[in-house]
Amino acid sequence: MKNNNLRNSEELKQLLDSRNLKICVIGIGRIGLPTALSFAKSGLTTIGVDINTDLVSMINSNEYPLKDEPGYDVIFNKVIKNKKFHASNKIEDVVPNSDVILLSLPTPMDKNNIPDYSALKSVGKQLGELLEPNSIVVVESTIEPGFVENELIKIIEDGTKQLIAGKNFSIGVCPETANPGEIMKDFTKLPRLVGAIDEKTTQMIMEIYKHTFPVELIPMSNCKTANAVKLTTNVFRDLNIAFVNQLALLFEKLGIDISQVLEAAKRKYNFQVHYPGPGVGGPCLPVNSYQMLNSAKQFDDNMLSLVRIAREVNESMPNHVVDLIINGLKEVNKQISTSTILLLGISYKPEIKDIQLAPSEKIIEKLKEYGANIKIYDPFYKSTNVFEIETENNIEQALSNIDSVVLVTAHKEFHDLTPSFIASKSEMPVVIDTQGIFNQDDAKKSKLIFRVLGSGKF
Ligand SMILES: NC(=O)c1ccc[n+]([C@@H]2O[C@H](COP(=O)([O-])OP(=O)(O)OC[C@H]3O[C@@H](n4cnc5c(N)ncnc54)[C@H](O)[C@@H]3O)[C@@H](O)[C@H]2O)c1
């Protein structure tokens, strides 16, 4: 059982100053692990809890699991060595000994795009059996406004510990907004929002985060407002990407290069540029739009129809990419069903190893429907099996004997690739650039069929 008391700001200050505040982070994945390491680095003993036993043993064997998250490997080695951090799969041992319990659990959606809060609900139930009085729970996961107030608190209070929020335990949120691949930078730059069930808890959570993160902390009037901000920023991006994706479709027909339009448009002070692409993936943007839609649905199915349309537009982009391939192949009298198509990049964004909800999966599904032979080359997924395809190990070999190349993810390695090099590896290949990164002058001079998403024919 924990020895500490955390009844007010003075007690918290003493525990922070003496580095005796005990932190527990439940869910030590992409976001939770760097969070836990940050707390440990600031001198507070931190334990990461996870149900993934392989992950727990990997961490406890001093192996850093987030290879594509630069900077944290050094901190990992340091805090493991000085015993400020370790991992555990025994929530029942860790929670009763912790003062602050952060929840960085997954909040995905199901096949019907309904948000799935089962991990948070299940851990909430465990907290109802394990939390010691005067602990603070902070939800970092991305959730719909109202989830804490209307569901999570009740789940915890229904446990046998007879806990009452605001009386013998506290709860708040500090939604995570970092970008995968750039977490180190974001944790030292991006402002954080803090909302809680009462003003006292908000201030205490801000003190705890201030100790660890050198960023602006913005107090919000409650949990649901803080969660609404997090969703608003991501839905804003999803909407704007849908807008430029629709423009891309129009400009292809009009023979206008969207990259020129956007470059010029962003010179105007109030235009915030977004770029078209093969679709929007990852664990955040698509899910966050559906979370916002789920919130609206309780009042009216048509509320936030703009967001629903944006989702439809972004989800249709993989089909458009396949149409560009088919169209290019026609020009050289080839059928998609007898063609070999190489995807360059399958991650949902550059320089990270993550294929959650990646548009590449939809492109592959469609290509399979047409009976195409599919190859994949991605520097983060070499010689492995992804989407039931054995991935390539070597880019030069991957480019040989293909009918079409589709650049899906703008990994750094692909920026050095020239259309003339691609043309030298196969007979008149069809090259589709969904990210606008290939040199267009070089493409014009090369023996290939070239299409850039949003730019019409060359
Ligand atoms: N990845 C991002 O880009 C990002 C950015 C900002 C916010 N978020 C949000 O942060 C939250 C966490 O996302 P993530 O990307 O770190 O997810 P993740 O899948 O990488 O990590 C979640 C971890 O929780 C563990 N877990 C699942 N159920 C558990 C349980 N019942 N008990 C203990 N551990 C459990 C999993 O094993 C996993 O290691 C989500 O709400 C997400 O929306 C993610």
Side-chain angles (χ1 to χ4, degrees), residues 26-32 49-52 55 104-107 119 122-123 126 140-142 176-180 230 283-284 288 348 356:
I26 307 182
I28 41 172
R30 165 77 64 179
I31 295 294
V49 173
D50 207 290
I51 43 166
N52 181 344
L55 176 68
S104 193
L105 291 154
T107 48
S122 134
V123 168
Q126 289 173 297
E140 287 215 353
S141 300
T142 308
E176 186 48 68
T177 53
N179 271 318
K230 158 78 199 195
C284 292
N288 297 168
Y348 80 88
Q356 291 178 74

PDB file of all heavy atoms in Angstrom, residues 26-32 49-52 55 104-107 119 122-123 126 140-142 176-180 230 283-284 288 348 356, ligand 1:
ATOM      1  N   ILE A  26      -0.398   3.250 -17.225  1.00  0.00           N
ATOM      2  CA  ILE A  26      -1.015   2.000 -17.713  1.00  0.00           C
ATOM      3  C   ILE A  26      -1.203   2.103 -19.224  1.00  0.00           C
ATOM      4  O   ILE A  26      -1.873   3.006 -19.721  1.00  0.00           O
ATOM      5  CB  ILE A  26      -2.351   1.723 -17.001  1.00  0.00           C
ATOM      6  CG1 ILE A  26      -2.154   1.762 -15.468  1.00  0.00           C
ATOM      7  CG2 ILE A  26      -2.911   0.366 -17.434  1.00  0.00           C
ATOM      8  CD1 ILE A  26      -3.389   1.449 -14.663  1.00  0.00           C
ATOM      9  N   GLY A  27      -0.556   1.183 -19.935  1.00  0.00           N
ATOM     10  CA  GLY A  27      -0.502   1.241 -21.403  1.00  0.00           C
ATOM     11  C   GLY A  27       0.792   1.903 -21.813  1.00  0.00           C
ATOM     12  O   GLY A  27       0.896   3.135 -21.813  1.00  0.00           O
ATOM     13  N   ILE A  28       1.817   1.079 -22.091  1.00  0.00           N
ATOM     14  CA  ILE A  28       3.126   1.672 -22.419  1.00  0.00           C
ATOM     15  C   ILE A  28       3.489   1.388 -23.877  1.00  0.00           C
ATOM     16  O   ILE A  28       4.502   0.806 -24.194  1.00  0.00           O
ATOM     17  CB  ILE A  28       4.246   1.211 -21.448  1.00  0.00           C
ATOM     18  CG1 ILE A  28       4.105  -0.289 -21.122  1.00  0.00           C
ATOM     19  CG2 ILE A  28       4.241   2.075 -20.204  1.00  0.00           C
ATOM     20  CD1 ILE A  28       5.280  -0.837 -20.324  1.00  0.00           C
ATOM     21  N   GLY A  29       2.590   1.839 -24.755  1.00  0.00           N
ATOM     22  CA  GLY A  29       2.819   1.713 -26.185  1.00  0.00           C
ATOM     23  C   GLY A  29       3.482   2.959 -26.734  1.00  0.00           C
ATOM     24  O   GLY A  29       4.313   3.608 -26.082  1.00  0.00           O
ATOM     25  N   ARG A  30       3.087   3.322 -27.941  1.00  0.00           N
ATOM     26  CA  ARG A  30       3.694   4.445 -28.658  1.00  0.00           C
ATOM     27  C   ARG A  30       3.724   5.728 -27.826  1.00  0.00           C
ATOM     28  O   ARG A  30       4.704   6.456 -27.800  1.00  0.00           O
ATOM     29  CB  ARG A  30       2.883   4.664 -29.948  1.00  0.00           C
ATOM     30  CG  ARG A  30       3.106   5.963 -30.650  1.00  0.00           C
ATOM     31  CD  ARG A  30       4.372   6.020 -31.439  1.00  0.00           C
ATOM     32  NE  ARG A  30       4.377   5.056 -32.525  1.00  0.00           N
ATOM     33  CZ  ARG A  30       5.391   4.932 -33.381  1.00  0.00           C
ATOM     34  NH1 ARG A  30       6.458   5.691 -33.262  1.00  0.00           N
ATOM     35  NH2 ARG A  30       5.352   4.025 -34.342  1.00  0.00           N
ATOM     36  N   ILE A  31       2.638   6.011 -27.105  1.00  0.00           N
ATOM     37  CA  ILE A  31       2.553   7.248 -26.330  1.00  0.00           C
ATOM     38  C   ILE A  31       2.909   7.017 -24.861  1.00  0.00           C
ATOM     39  O   ILE A  31       3.637   7.803 -24.245  1.00  0.00           O
ATOM     40  CB  ILE A  31       1.117   7.828 -26.438  1.00  0.00           C
ATOM     41  CG1 ILE A  31       0.812   8.257 -27.891  1.00  0.00           C
ATOM     42  CG2 ILE A  31       0.887   8.964 -25.466  1.00  0.00           C
ATOM     43  CD1 ILE A  31       1.631   9.413 -28.402  1.00  0.00           C
ATOM     44  N   GLY A  32       2.413   5.922 -24.310  1.00  0.00           N
ATOM     45  CA  GLY A  32       2.601   5.677 -22.876  1.00  0.00           C
ATOM     46  C   GLY A  32       4.056   5.474 -22.492  1.00  0.00           C
ATOM     47  O   GLY A  32       4.478   5.947 -21.427  1.00  0.00           O
ATOM     48  N   VAL A  49       2.716  -0.191 -16.743  1.00  0.00           N
ATOM     49  CA  VAL A  49       1.929  -1.431 -16.678  1.00  0.00           C
ATOM     50  C   VAL A  49       1.360  -1.727 -18.054  1.00  0.00           C
ATOM     51  O   VAL A  49       0.832  -0.828 -18.726  1.00  0.00           O
ATOM     52  CB  VAL A  49       0.770  -1.272 -15.659  1.00  0.00           C
ATOM     53  CG1 VAL A  49      -0.160  -2.475 -15.702  1.00  0.00           C
ATOM     54  CG2 VAL A  49       1.320  -1.080 -14.256  1.00  0.00           C
ATOM     55  N   ASP A  50       1.463  -2.969 -18.480  1.00  0.00           N
ATOM     56  CA  ASP A  50       0.898  -3.337 -19.783  1.00  0.00           C
ATOM     57  C   ASP A  50       0.488  -4.799 -19.761  1.00  0.00           C
ATOM     58  O   ASP A  50       1.116  -5.614 -19.085  1.00  0.00           O
ATOM     59  CB  ASP A  50       1.938  -3.093 -20.884  1.00  0.00           C
ATOM     60  CG  ASP A  50       1.283  -2.815 -22.231  1.00  0.00           C
ATOM     61  OD1 ASP A  50       0.688  -3.755 -22.814  1.00  0.00           O
ATOM     62  OD2 ASP A  50       1.349  -1.655 -22.694  1.00  0.00           O
ATOM     63  N   ILE A  51      -0.585  -5.112 -20.525  1.00  0.00           N
ATOM     64  CA  ILE A  51      -1.000  -6.520 -20.596  1.00  0.00           C
ATOM     65  C   ILE A  51      -0.148  -7.311 -21.583  1.00  0.00           C
ATOM     66  O   ILE A  51      -0.202  -8.528 -21.608  1.00  0.00           O
ATOM     67  CB  ILE A  51      -2.486  -6.714 -21.002  1.00  0.00           C
ATOM     68  CG1 ILE A  51      -2.860  -5.768 -22.143  1.00  0.00           C
ATOM     69  CG2 ILE A  51      -3.413  -6.572 -19.832  1.00  0.00           C
ATOM     70  CD1 ILE A  51      -4.166  -6.133 -22.809  1.00  0.00           C
ATOM     71  N   ASN A  52       0.614  -6.611 -22.394  1.00  0.00           N
ATOM     72  CA  ASN A  52       1.467  -7.287 -23.376  1.00  0.00           C
ATOM     73  C   ASN A  52       2.733  -7.797 -22.656  1.00  0.00           C
ATOM     74  O   ASN A  52       3.663  -7.046 -22.401  1.00  0.00           O
ATOM     75  CB  ASN A  52       1.814  -6.291 -24.492  1.00  0.00           C
ATOM     76  CG  ASN A  52       2.677  -6.908 -25.569  1.00  0.00           C
ATOM     77  OD1 ASN A  52       3.273  -7.967 -25.368  1.00  0.00           O
ATOM     78  ND2 ASN A  52       2.735  -6.233 -26.708  1.00  0.00           N
ATOM     79  N   LEU A  55       6.091  -7.334 -24.381  1.00  0.00           N
ATOM     80  CA  LEU A  55       6.594  -5.960 -24.272  1.00  0.00           C
ATOM     81  C   LEU A  55       7.226  -5.736 -22.900  1.00  0.00           C
ATOM     82  O   LEU A  55       8.322  -5.160 -22.783  1.00  0.00           O
ATOM     83  CB  LEU A  55       5.442  -4.970 -24.513  1.00  0.00           C
ATOM     84  CG  LEU A  55       5.749  -3.491 -24.348  1.00  0.00           C
ATOM     85  CD1 LEU A  55       6.695  -3.001 -25.449  1.00  0.00           C
ATOM     86  CD2 LEU A  55       4.464  -2.653 -24.361  1.00  0.00           C
ATOM     87  N   SER A 104      -2.810   5.511 -20.630  1.00  0.00           N
ATOM     88  CA  SER A 104      -2.450   5.756 -22.032  1.00  0.00           C
ATOM     89  C   SER A 104      -2.862   4.535 -22.842  1.00  0.00           C
ATOM     90  O   SER A 104      -2.065   3.931 -23.550  1.00  0.00           O
ATOM     91  CB  SER A 104      -0.949   6.017 -22.122  1.00  0.00           C
ATOM     92  OG  SER A 104      -0.647   6.539 -23.385  1.00  0.00           O
ATOM     93  N   LEU A 105      -4.118   4.196 -22.691  1.00  0.00           N
ATOM     94  CA  LEU A 105      -4.654   2.959 -23.277  1.00  0.00           C
ATOM     95  C   LEU A 105      -5.209   3.222 -24.676  1.00  0.00           C
ATOM     96  O   LEU A 105      -5.610   4.349 -24.987  1.00  0.00           O
ATOM     97  CB  LEU A 105      -5.756   2.435 -22.357  1.00  0.00           C
ATOM     98  CG  LEU A 105      -5.197   1.930 -21.027  1.00  0.00           C
ATOM     99  CD1 LEU A 105      -6.229   2.015 -19.923  1.00  0.00           C
ATOM    100  CD2 LEU A 105      -4.671   0.508 -21.185  1.00  0.00           C
ATOM    101  N   PRO A 106      -5.252   2.185 -25.505  1.00  0.00           N
ATOM    102  CA  PRO A 106      -5.737   2.395 -26.873  1.00  0.00           C
ATOM    103  C   PRO A 106      -7.228   2.705 -26.904  1.00  0.00           C
ATOM    104  O   PRO A 106      -7.998   2.173 -26.108  1.00  0.00           O
ATOM    105  CB  PRO A 106      -5.455   1.050 -27.552  1.00  0.00           C
ATOM    106  CG  PRO A 106      -5.296   0.060 -26.457  1.00  0.00           C
ATOM    107  CD  PRO A 106      -4.845   0.798 -25.242  1.00  0.00           C
ATOM    108  N   THR A 107      -7.612   3.583 -27.823  1.00  0.00           N
ATOM    109  CA  THR A 107      -9.032   3.908 -28.017  1.00  0.00           C
ATOM    110  C   THR A 107      -9.326   3.813 -29.513  1.00  0.00           C
ATOM    111  O   THR A 107      -9.521   4.834 -30.181  1.00  0.00           O
ATOM    112  CB  THR A 107      -9.354   5.323 -27.483  1.00  0.00           C
ATOM    113  OG1 THR A 107      -8.357   6.243 -27.975  1.00  0.00           O
ATOM    114  CG2 THR A 107      -9.358   5.370 -25.981  1.00  0.00           C
ATOM    115  N   ALA A 119     -10.705  -0.981 -23.454  1.00  0.00           N
ATOM    116  CA  ALA A 119      -9.488  -1.038 -22.626  1.00  0.00           C
ATOM    117  C   ALA A 119      -9.641  -0.091 -21.427  1.00  0.00           C
ATOM    118  O   ALA A 119      -9.330  -0.455 -20.284  1.00  0.00           O
ATOM    119  CB  ALA A 119      -8.257  -0.677 -23.446  1.00  0.00           C
ATOM    120  N   SER A 122     -12.185  -1.532 -18.996  1.00  0.00           N
ATOM    121  CA  SER A 122     -11.697  -2.678 -18.232  1.00  0.00           C
ATOM    122  C   SER A 122     -10.693  -2.231 -17.159  1.00  0.00           C
ATOM    123  O   SER A 122     -10.746  -2.698 -16.006  1.00  0.00           O
ATOM    124  CB  SER A 122     -11.132  -3.712 -19.228  1.00  0.00           C
ATOM    125  OG  SER A 122      -9.925  -4.212 -18.842  1.00  0.00           O
ATOM    126  N   VAL A 123      -9.818  -1.300 -17.518  1.00  0.00           N
ATOM    127  CA  VAL A 123      -8.871  -0.800 -16.513  1.00  0.00           C
ATOM    128  C   VAL A 123      -9.628   0.013 -15.446  1.00  0.00           C
ATOM    129  O   VAL A 123      -9.309  -0.059 -14.256  1.00  0.00           O
ATOM    130  CB  VAL A 123      -7.731   0.004 -17.178  1.00  0.00           C
ATOM    131  CG1 VAL A 123      -6.915   0.762 -16.148  1.00  0.00           C
ATOM    132  CG2 VAL A 123      -6.836  -0.933 -17.991  1.00  0.00           C
ATOM    133  N   GLN A 126     -10.785  -2.271 -12.921  1.00  0.00           N
ATOM    134  CA  GLN A 126      -9.685  -2.704 -12.039  1.00  0.00           C
ATOM    135  C   GLN A 126      -9.339  -1.604 -11.036  1.00  0.00           C
ATOM    136  O   GLN A 126      -9.063  -1.884  -9.868  1.00  0.00           O
ATOM    137  CB  GLN A 126      -8.455  -3.077 -12.881  1.00  0.00           C
ATOM    138  CG  GLN A 126      -8.645  -4.364 -13.667  1.00  0.00           C
ATOM    139  CD  GLN A 126      -7.493  -4.632 -14.615  1.00  0.00           C
ATOM    140  OE1 GLN A 126      -7.236  -3.866 -15.541  1.00  0.00           O
ATOM    141  NE2 GLN A 126      -6.793  -5.714 -14.395  1.00  0.00           N
ATOM    142  N   GLU A 140      -4.901  10.070 -20.459  1.00  0.00           N
ATOM    143  CA  GLU A 140      -4.181  10.693 -21.578  1.00  0.00           C
ATOM    144  C   GLU A 140      -4.750  10.234 -22.922  1.00  0.00           C
ATOM    145  O   GLU A 140      -4.514  10.855 -23.949  1.00  0.00           O
ATOM    146  CB  GLU A 140      -2.698  10.325 -21.497  1.00  0.00           C
ATOM    147  CG  GLU A 140      -1.953  11.033 -20.406  1.00  0.00           C
ATOM    148  CD  GLU A 140      -0.522  11.349 -20.811  1.00  0.00           C
ATOM    149  OE1 GLU A 140      -0.082  10.906 -21.881  1.00  0.00           O
ATOM    150  OE2 GLU A 140       0.144  12.062 -20.047  1.00  0.00           O
ATOM    151  N   SER A 141      -5.455   9.108 -22.904  1.00  0.00           N
ATOM    152  CA  SER A 141      -6.022   8.566 -24.148  1.00  0.00           C
ATOM    153  C   SER A 141      -6.968   9.579 -24.793  1.00  0.00           C
ATOM    154  O   SER A 141      -7.557  10.416 -24.109  1.00  0.00           O
ATOM    155  CB  SER A 141      -6.833   7.305 -23.854  1.00  0.00           C
ATOM    156  OG  SER A 141      -6.029   6.317 -23.279  1.00  0.00           O
ATOM    157  N   THR A 142      -7.142   9.430 -26.095  1.00  0.00           N
ATOM    158  CA  THR A 142      -8.081  10.304 -26.806  1.00  0.00           C
ATOM    159  C   THR A 142      -9.483   9.721 -26.679  1.00  0.00           C
ATOM    160  O   THR A 142      -9.732   8.584 -27.072  1.00  0.00           O
ATOM    161  CB  THR A 142      -7.697  10.384 -28.300  1.00  0.00           C
ATOM    162  OG1 THR A 142      -6.323  10.736 -28.380  1.00  0.00           O
ATOM    163  CG2 THR A 142      -8.526  11.423 -29.016  1.00  0.00           C
ATOM    164  N   GLU A 176      -3.192  13.521 -25.020  1.00  0.00           N
ATOM    165  CA  GLU A 176      -1.889  13.480 -25.674  1.00  0.00           C
ATOM    166  C   GLU A 176      -2.021  13.974 -27.116  1.00  0.00           C
ATOM    167  O   GLU A 176      -2.932  13.570 -27.826  1.00  0.00           O
ATOM    168  CB  GLU A 176      -1.393  12.016 -25.651  1.00  0.00           C
ATOM    169  CG  GLU A 176      -0.024  11.854 -26.167  1.00  0.00           C
ATOM    170  CD  GLU A 176       0.905  12.861 -25.552  1.00  0.00           C
ATOM    171  OE1 GLU A 176       1.170  12.783 -24.343  1.00  0.00           O
ATOM    172  OE2 GLU A 176       1.347  13.748 -26.289  1.00  0.00           O
ATOM    173  N   THR A 177      -1.101  14.862 -27.518  1.00  0.00           N
ATOM    174  CA  THR A 177      -1.218  15.400 -28.878  1.00  0.00           C
ATOM    175  C   THR A 177       0.055  15.201 -29.700  1.00  0.00           C
ATOM    176  O   THR A 177       0.183  15.744 -30.794  1.00  0.00           O
ATOM    177  CB  THR A 177      -1.543  16.926 -28.842  1.00  0.00           C
ATOM    178  OG1 THR A 177      -0.569  17.552 -28.017  1.00  0.00           O
ATOM    179  CG2 THR A 177      -2.910  17.201 -28.292  1.00  0.00           C
ATOM    180  N   ALA A 178       0.989  14.390 -29.185  1.00  0.00           N
ATOM    181  CA  ALA A 178       2.269  14.241 -29.889  1.00  0.00           C
ATOM    182  C   ALA A 178       2.118  13.483 -31.201  1.00  0.00           C
ATOM    183  O   ALA A 178       1.184  12.706 -31.386  1.00  0.00           O
ATOM    184  CB  ALA A 178       3.252  13.495 -28.988  1.00  0.00           C
ATOM    185  N   ASN A 179       3.076  13.726 -32.104  1.00  0.00           N
ATOM    186  CA  ASN A 179       3.098  13.054 -33.403  1.00  0.00           C
ATOM    187  C   ASN A 179       4.062  11.891 -33.371  1.00  0.00           C
ATOM    188  O   ASN A 179       5.225  12.073 -33.012  1.00  0.00           O
ATOM    189  CB  ASN A 179       3.649  14.017 -34.461  1.00  0.00           C
ATOM    190  CG  ASN A 179       2.568  14.821 -35.079  1.00  0.00           C
ATOM    191  OD1 ASN A 179       1.504  14.308 -35.381  1.00  0.00           O
ATOM    192  ND2 ASN A 179       2.837  16.098 -35.269  1.00  0.00           N
ATOM    193  N   PRO A 180       3.619  10.705 -33.785  1.00  0.00           N
ATOM    194  CA  PRO A 180       4.547   9.577 -33.822  1.00  0.00           C
ATOM    195  C   PRO A 180       5.787   9.907 -34.643  1.00  0.00           C
ATOM    196  O   PRO A 180       5.697  10.576 -35.676  1.00  0.00           O
ATOM    197  CB  PRO A 180       3.742   8.482 -34.527  1.00  0.00           C
ATOM    198  CG  PRO A 180       2.331   8.856 -34.307  1.00  0.00           C
ATOM    199  CD  PRO A 180       2.282  10.344 -34.257  1.00  0.00           C
ATOM    200  N   LYS A 230      -8.830  18.457 -28.163  1.00  0.00           N
ATOM    201  CA  LYS A 230      -7.991  17.442 -28.820  1.00  0.00           C
ATOM    202  C   LYS A 230      -8.678  16.942 -30.097  1.00  0.00           C
ATOM    203  O   LYS A 230      -8.066  16.860 -31.163  1.00  0.00           O
ATOM    204  CB  LYS A 230      -7.729  16.294 -27.838  1.00  0.00           C
ATOM    205  CG  LYS A 230      -7.350  14.973 -28.447  1.00  0.00           C
ATOM    206  CD  LYS A 230      -5.911  14.894 -28.897  1.00  0.00           C
ATOM    207  CE  LYS A 230      -5.707  13.783 -29.893  1.00  0.00           C
ATOM    208  NZ  LYS A 230      -4.407  13.364 -30.177  1.00  0.00           N
ATOM    209  N   PRO A 283      -3.558   5.948 -36.081  1.00  0.00           N
ATOM    210  CA  PRO A 283      -4.455   5.673 -34.966  1.00  0.00           C
ATOM    211  C   PRO A 283      -5.272   6.899 -34.538  1.00  0.00           C
ATOM    212  O   PRO A 283      -6.141   6.790 -33.678  1.00  0.00           O
ATOM    213  CB  PRO A 283      -3.490   5.261 -33.841  1.00  0.00           C
ATOM    214  CG  PRO A 283      -2.213   5.954 -34.167  1.00  0.00           C
ATOM    215  CD  PRO A 283      -2.148   6.072 -35.661  1.00  0.00           C
ATOM    216  N   CYS A 284      -4.993   8.066 -35.138  1.00  0.00           N
ATOM    217  CA  CYS A 284      -5.664   9.274 -34.631  1.00  0.00           C
ATOM    218  C   CYS A 284      -6.734   9.848 -35.559  1.00  0.00           C
ATOM    219  O   CYS A 284      -7.920   9.785 -35.257  1.00  0.00           O
ATOM    220  CB  CYS A 284      -4.623  10.340 -34.298  1.00  0.00           C
ATOM    221  SG  CYS A 284      -3.613   9.886 -32.881  1.00  0.00           S
ATOM    222  N   ASN A 288     -10.529   9.856 -34.625  1.00  0.00           N
ATOM    223  CA  ASN A 288     -11.007  11.052 -33.937  1.00  0.00           C
ATOM    224  C   ASN A 288     -12.237  11.649 -34.626  1.00  0.00           C
ATOM    225  O   ASN A 288     -13.157  12.131 -33.965  1.00  0.00           O
ATOM    226  CB  ASN A 288      -9.900  12.105 -33.837  1.00  0.00           C
ATOM    227  CG  ASN A 288      -8.713  11.626 -33.009  1.00  0.00           C
ATOM    228  OD1 ASN A 288      -7.665  12.232 -33.003  1.00  0.00           O
ATOM    229  ND2 ASN A 288      -8.878  10.514 -32.303  1.00  0.00           N
ATOM    230  N   TYR A 348       1.454   4.635 -42.702  1.00  0.00           N
ATOM    231  CA  TYR A 348       0.450   5.670 -42.948  1.00  0.00           C
ATOM    232  C   TYR A 348       1.060   7.062 -43.025  1.00  0.00           C
ATOM    233  O   TYR A 348       0.432   7.995 -43.513  1.00  0.00           O
ATOM    234  CB  TYR A 348      -0.678   5.613 -41.906  1.00  0.00           C
ATOM    235  CG  TYR A 348      -0.345   6.255 -40.580  1.00  0.00           C
ATOM    236  CD1 TYR A 348      -0.557   7.605 -40.352  1.00  0.00           C
ATOM    237  CD2 TYR A 348       0.202   5.500 -39.543  1.00  0.00           C
ATOM    238  CE1 TYR A 348      -0.240   8.190 -39.139  1.00  0.00           C
ATOM    239  CE2 TYR A 348       0.516   6.069 -38.336  1.00  0.00           C
ATOM    240  CZ  TYR A 348       0.295   7.404 -38.139  1.00  0.00           C
ATOM    241  OH  TYR A 348       0.629   7.982 -36.931  1.00  0.00           O
ATOM    242  N   GLN A 356      -1.335   1.188 -39.033  1.00  0.00           N
ATOM    243  CA  GLN A 356      -2.716   1.231 -38.539  1.00  0.00           C
ATOM    244  C   GLN A 356      -3.581   2.083 -39.458  1.00  0.00           C
ATOM    245  O   GLN A 356      -3.278   3.253 -39.695  1.00  0.00           O
ATOM    246  CB  GLN A 356      -2.758   1.843 -37.134  1.00  0.00           C
ATOM    247  CG  GLN A 356      -2.144   0.966 -36.062  1.00  0.00           C
ATOM    248  CD  GLN A 356      -2.178   1.676 -34.715  1.00  0.00           C
ATOM    249  OE1 GLN A 356      -3.223   1.795 -34.104  1.00  0.00           O
ATOM    250  NE2 GLN A 356      -1.034   2.131 -34.252  1.00  0.00           N
TER     251      GLN A 356
HETATM  252  N1  LIG B   1      -0.052   7.019 -31.504  1.00  0.00           N
HETATM  253  C1  LIG B   1      -0.391   8.283 -31.675  1.00  0.00           C
HETATM  254  O1  LIG B   1      -0.055   8.911 -32.657  1.00  0.00           O
HETATM  255  C2  LIG B   1      -1.195   9.028 -30.649  1.00  0.00           C
HETATM  256  C3  LIG B   1      -1.056  10.421 -30.559  1.00  0.00           C
HETATM  257  C4  LIG B   1      -1.811  11.095 -29.624  1.00  0.00           C
HETATM  258  C5  LIG B   1      -2.722  10.387 -28.841  1.00  0.00           C
HETATM  259  N2  LIG B   1      -2.828   9.041 -28.983  1.00  0.00           N
HETATM  260  C6  LIG B   1      -3.788   8.351 -28.122  1.00  0.00           C
HETATM  261  O2  LIG B   1      -3.054   7.754 -27.063  1.00  0.00           O
HETATM  262  C7  LIG B   1      -3.706   6.539 -26.663  1.00  0.00           C
HETATM  263  C8  LIG B   1      -2.701   5.417 -26.715  1.00  0.00           C
HETATM  264  O3  LIG B   1      -2.289   5.266 -28.058  1.00  0.00           O
HETATM  265  P1  LIG B   1      -0.960   4.499 -28.482  1.00  0.00           P
HETATM  266  O4  LIG B   1      -0.720   4.863 -29.903  1.00  0.00           O
HETATM  267  O5  LIG B   1       0.117   4.711 -27.493  1.00  0.00           O
HETATM  268  O6  LIG B   1      -1.476   2.995 -28.422  1.00  0.00           O
HETATM  269  P2  LIG B   1      -0.568   1.681 -28.438  1.00  0.00           P
HETATM  270  O7  LIG B   1      -1.456   0.625 -28.989  1.00  0.00           O
HETATM  271  O8  LIG B   1       0.741   1.938 -29.053  1.00  0.00           O
HETATM  272  O9  LIG B   1      -0.328   1.381 -26.886  1.00  0.00           O
HETATM  273  C9  LIG B   1      -1.339   1.005 -26.017  1.00  0.00           C
HETATM  274  C10 LIG B   1      -0.776  -0.011 -25.027  1.00  0.00           C
HETATM  275  O10 LIG B   1      -1.811  -0.333 -24.103  1.00  0.00           O
HETATM  276  C11 LIG B   1      -1.714  -1.712 -23.799  1.00  0.00           C
HETATM  277  N3  LIG B   1      -2.996  -2.190 -23.279  1.00  0.00           N
HETATM  278  C12 LIG B   1      -4.137  -2.453 -23.955  1.00  0.00           C
HETATM  279  N4  LIG B   1      -5.103  -2.850 -23.119  1.00  0.00           N
HETATM  280  C13 LIG B   1      -4.562  -2.837 -21.885  1.00  0.00           C
HETATM  281  C14 LIG B   1      -5.066  -3.150 -20.605  1.00  0.00           C
HETATM  282  N5  LIG B   1      -6.332  -3.542 -20.426  1.00  0.00           N
HETATM  283  N6  LIG B   1      -4.239  -3.033 -19.547  1.00  0.00           N
HETATM  284  C15 LIG B   1      -2.945  -2.641 -19.703  1.00  0.00           C
HETATM  285  N7  LIG B   1      -2.416  -2.336 -20.905  1.00  0.00           N
HETATM  286  C16 LIG B   1      -3.225  -2.429 -21.979  1.00  0.00           C
HETATM  287  C17 LIG B   1      -1.322  -2.356 -25.108  1.00  0.00           C
HETATM  288  O11 LIG B   1      -0.743  -3.630 -24.903  1.00  0.00           O
HETATM  289  C18 LIG B   1      -0.349  -1.318 -25.664  1.00  0.00           C
HETATM  290  O12 LIG B   1       1.001  -1.607 -25.323  1.00  0.00           O
HETATM  291  C19 LIG B   1      -4.898   6.357 -27.610  1.00  0.00           C
HETATM  292  O13 LIG B   1      -6.040   6.897 -27.022  1.00  0.00           O
HETATM  293  C20 LIG B   1      -4.519   7.193 -28.799  1.00  0.00           C
HETATM  294  O14 LIG B   1      -5.635   7.666 -29.511  1.00  0.00           O
HETATM  295  C21 LIG B   1      -2.074   8.343 -29.852  1.00  0.00           C
END
